[in-house]
Amino acid sequence: MCLCLQYVNQRTWGKQVLPGEMVQLHVKRGDESLFLFNTTVDAPLETLIQQITAIYNGRLKVERLCSEIPELADHGITLPPNMQGLTEEQIEELNLRDEWGEKCIPSGGSVFRKDEIGRRNGQAPNDKMKEVLMRTVEAATALISKKQVQANVCVTVEMIKEALDQLRGAVMIVYPMELPPHDPIRMEFEDKEDLSGTQASLQVITEDECQLWWAAKEMQRGKKLQDYIGRNEKTKLVVKIQKKGQGAPAREPVITDEQQKQMMMHYYRRQEELKKLEEADDDSYMDSEWSDRQALKRQFQGLTNIKWGPR
């Protein structure tokens, strides 16, 4: 499935918007929090859907690359499709040969690390080159991480492009002769990935089939955001991305999971306190010093703290 990240300029549509005065969208799919996105009330829904779809699918592409590149770092390039899953004896018997394995040598030489599932050729980069790949994967993952929501950082198309450029650059450093055309990493970079029949294909939402929902209402193309939320540029709202034909997504709960957890903890502590009060003896306070009616009189007479017995 081909995915092209087109740059979409986030204009203010003829209206001057001061810094901090933008609508913040918290984009979710189902109950899963994905990313934050800044826009304006004057933004056409058509453009807004295009921007959010590009970021949504771009994050998926980065995630797929970040799951494949560690395999490249551990076991080298992908074998040709007709050699994958075969044992060495079967490859010799069928007289098969990996021509790309002789061309695609990692910088600094290779280290043999056998791929037990027989998907990659086992000629892995050395430890120094492996570290280059793994550091870049970590940096790219941080750029599109869901933790950006907690940090109140909005994701943009430029951030997605930056993550892809970082990953592409690291692979070029380790494999200056490029990867084989059948390697899934190269196919992702060239937008030639084939996701048919995979779980990943179910996650992708094309621009034409993308729908945005807010407050149990579909935000229709042809309208502007202000037609739904008014003209307050400081609005924050949760929108849900949905594939056309899947119906309305579930509404947001009245309270969050964290709020519900805090309420349950408070209820439990209160129940424990009431249980202890019920179990306590009602007359136990009579043994307290403050309940002694003669205490003040003995204090004036100097009879407090008198101890009987030999010194």
Side-chain angles (χ1 to χ4, degrees), residues 234-250:
K234 296 184 179 181
T235 305
K236 295 183 179 181
L237 59 149
V238 175
V239 297
K240 295 197 174 184
I241 188 170
Q242 188 85 334
K243 187 176 290 189
K244 186 182 297 183
Q246 292 184 340

Side-chain angles (χ1 to χ4, degrees), residues 34-48:
L34 299 178
F35 57 89
L36 299 178
F37 181 76
N38 273 345
T39 186
T40 67
V41 295
D42 289 329
L45 264 301
E46 189 77 31
T47 303
L48 188 59

Side-chain angles (χ1 to χ4, degrees), residues 36-87:
L36 299 178
F37 181 76
N38 273 345
T39 186
T40 67
V41 295
D42 289 329
L45 264 301
E46 189 77 31
T47 303
L48 188 59
I49 290 173
Q50 184 181 1
Q51 293 171 331
I52 290 178
T53 305
I55 294 174
Y56 172 80
N57 289 324
R59 290 181 71 256
L60 293 178
K61 177 182 279 287
V62 173
E63 288 175 356
R64 292 194 299 269
L65 283 165
C66 288
S67 67
E68 280 289 350
I69 290 178
E71 295 295 318
L72 176 69
D74 286 335
H75 304 296
I77 63 173
T78 305
L79 289 168
N82 63 339
M83 293 177 61
Q84 293 183 19
L86 300 180
T87 63

Side-chain angles (χ1 to χ4, degrees), residues 294-308:
Q294 303 299 322
L296 183 61
K297 179 179 178 181
R298 286 198 298 270
Q299 186 175 357
F300 282 127
Q301 294 176 346
L303 300 178
T304 58
N305 295 327
I306 297 177
K307 297 182 179 179
W308 302 95

Side-chain angles (χ1 to χ4, degrees), residues 116-305:
E116 297 298 333
I117 62 175
R119 185 165 173 259
R120 295 182 175 270
N121 70 354
Q123 301 298 326
N126 60 35
D127 290 341
K128 184 178 180 180
M129 292 295 101
K130 179 179 179 179
E131 186 179 354
V132 170
L133 292 173
M134 298 309 295
R135 280 204 314 264
T136 308
V137 165
E138 185 177 349
T141 301
L143 270 178
I144 56 102
S145 172
K146 297 173 185 176
K147 293 181 180 178
Q148 298 281 46
V149 175
Q150 284 78 29
N152 201 35
V153 175
C154 293
V155 179
T156 63
V157 174
E158 290 76 15
M159 292 171 67
I160 301 296
K161 285 189 173 185
E162 181 182 351
L164 291 173
D165 289 342
Q166 288 178 359
L167 295 171
R168 185 183 290 106
V171 172
M172 287 296 294
I173 290 173
V174 180
Y175 286 91
M177 300 299 292
E178 292 191 325
L179 299 175
H182 55 265
D183 193 291
I185 296 174
R186 178 172 171 177
M187 294 174 71
E188 287 281 2
F189 286 139
E190 296 178 350
D191 292 326
K192 296 178 180 178
E193 68 274 16
D194 182 13
L195 303 179
S196 57
T198 66
Q199 183 66 27
S201 66
L202 302 178
Q203 297 177 309
V204 174
I205 301 177
T206 63
E207 183 182 331
D208 292 336
E209 61 186 5
C210 175
Q211 294 178 336
L212 287 184
W213 290 75
W214 172 71
K217 296 178 182 178
E218 182 188 352
M219 306 175 85
Q220 299 287 341
R221 300 168 190 260
K223 294 187 176 182
K224 292 186 176 182
L225 189 58
Q226 66 184 15
D227 295 332
Y228 292 91
I229 67 171
R231 301 194 58 82
N232 184 2
E233 291 286 2
K234 296 184 179 181
T235 305
K236 295 183 179 181
L237 59 149
V238 175
V239 297
K240 295 197 174 184
I241 188 170
Q242 188 85 334
K243 187 176 290 189
K244 186 182 297 183
Q246 292 184 340
R251 299 193 63 161
E252 281 292 288
V254 178
I255 59 174
T256 64
D257 292 339
E258 183 62 27
Q259 290 172 331
Q260 185 177 13
K261 182 179 178 181
Q262 293 297 329
M263 291 174 62
M264 293 297 293
M265 290 175 61
H266 174 76
Y267 177 75
Y268 175 77
R269 286 195 296 265
R270 182 60 179 163
Q271 288 291 97
E272 291 297 309
E273 291 174 0
L274 292 175
K275 184 188 293 186
K276 289 179 181 179
L277 288 175
E278 290 177 358
E279 294 175 352
D281 185 3
D282 294 340
D283 296 333
S284 59
Y285 72 92
M286 297 296 293
D287 297 328
S288 302
E289 182 178 349
W290 57 266
S291 65
D292 186 359
R293 296 181 179 181
Q294 303 299 322
L296 183 61
K297 179 179 178 181
R298 286 198 298 270
Q299 186 175 357
F300 282 127
Q301 294 176 346
L303 300 178
T304 58
N305 295 327

